[in-house]
Amino acid sequence: YFIPEGERFIVSANDTLRLEPGAVVRSDDAAEIRVQGSVISEGLPDKWITFTSNWHTRLQTDDWEGISFQPQGSTPGIGLFRYTGFTYCVTAVRISADPGGSEAADCEVDNCYFRSIFGVGVDVSTGKYLITRNVFNNVPGAVRSIAPDSIRLEHNIVFSAKNVGIDLQNVDGGSV
């Protein structure tokens, strides 16, 4: 799959983008996957799904924007990422509540690999999050969470973090 420069691939409210094991999604400058519904990216231990830059010669940490959940309507959607790799983007997975009142999507990030990210690997606001068994390599901030309903961070590896490995603000409940 390929997302051209400056384009947005939009997953509409009540729709689900489901990626098959082994899929590779390449994006050009400022391209973004905007999710109003759900994303299921469930690879296998021997067939990872990869989100990366389309550049072959100039790989930089901000080659594309990343996946941005912006729920609309009454169904907030879900994000499920297993055996998925994210490279060369601004923020790999960003999930936020809709200012119009929709709740943020719930998200599970398990056995994923984040490398050469410009900002944050997983950036979340309100909602429920399970972030387990991931590797964050050369990511300024592995996880940033502002006021989640609950968050569980277990068995993650963070190295070469330039700023803060994990930044939790206003957490109501959860475990690290």
Side-chain angles (χ1 to χ4, degrees):
Y1 306 102
F2 172 68
I3 303 171
E5 181 176 342
E7 294 289 319
R8 286 190 185 119
F9 180 88
I10 297 176
V11 179
S12 300
N14 300 319
D15 285 340
T16 299
L17 171 62
R18 187 178 305 271
L19 292 126
E20 297 294 322
V24 176
V25 178
R26 295 186 177 279
S27 299
D28 264 349
D29 279 346
E32 173 188 30
I33 298 173
R34 184 168 289 175
V35 181
Q36 299 166 349
S38 298
V39 171
I40 308 293
S41 176
E42 197 164 12
L44 299 169
D46 62 339
K47 274 188 131 172
W48 282 59
I49 295 168
T50 303
F51 291 91
T52 191
S53 170
N54 192 49
W55 288 87
H56 299 287
T57 57
R58 181 210 76 157
L59 294 172
Q60 296 181 7
T61 59
D62 63 349
D63 280 353
W64 66 289
E65 294 298 314
I67 300 171
S68 178
F69 283 80
Q70 298 177 346
Q72 294 183 351
S74 60
T75 306
I78 61 164
L80 175 59
F81 300 95
R82 279 199 187 108
Y83 297 106
T84 299
F86 300 89
T87 60
Y88 304 111
C89 59
V90 175
T91 297
V93 179
R94 173 178 286 137
I95 304 173
S96 59
D98 177 18
S102 291
E103 293 183 16
D106 291 336
C107 188
E108 181 177 338
V109 181
D110 181 52
N111 279 299
C112 293
Y113 185 72
F114 299 82
R115 181 176 56 87
S116 298
I117 307 292
F118 181 77
V120 178
V122 181
D123 188 359
V124 297
S125 64
T126 61
K128 296 181 181 99
Y129 304 101
L130 176 61
I131 302 171
T132 56
R133 297 182 292 265
N134 301 291
V135 175
F136 297 89
N137 177 9
N138 191 25
V139 179
V143 176
R144 179 172 59 196
S145 178
I146 300 172
D149 298 332
S150 69
I151 188 165
R152 193 167 100 198
L153 298 164
E154 292 180 358
H155 307 290
N156 295 286
I157 298 172
V158 178
F159 60 99
S160 297
K162 295 175 187 167
N163 295 330
V164 169
I166 297 173
D167 181 7
L168 302 176
Q169 301 174 22
N170 302 320
V171 175
D172 289 337
S175 63
V176 177

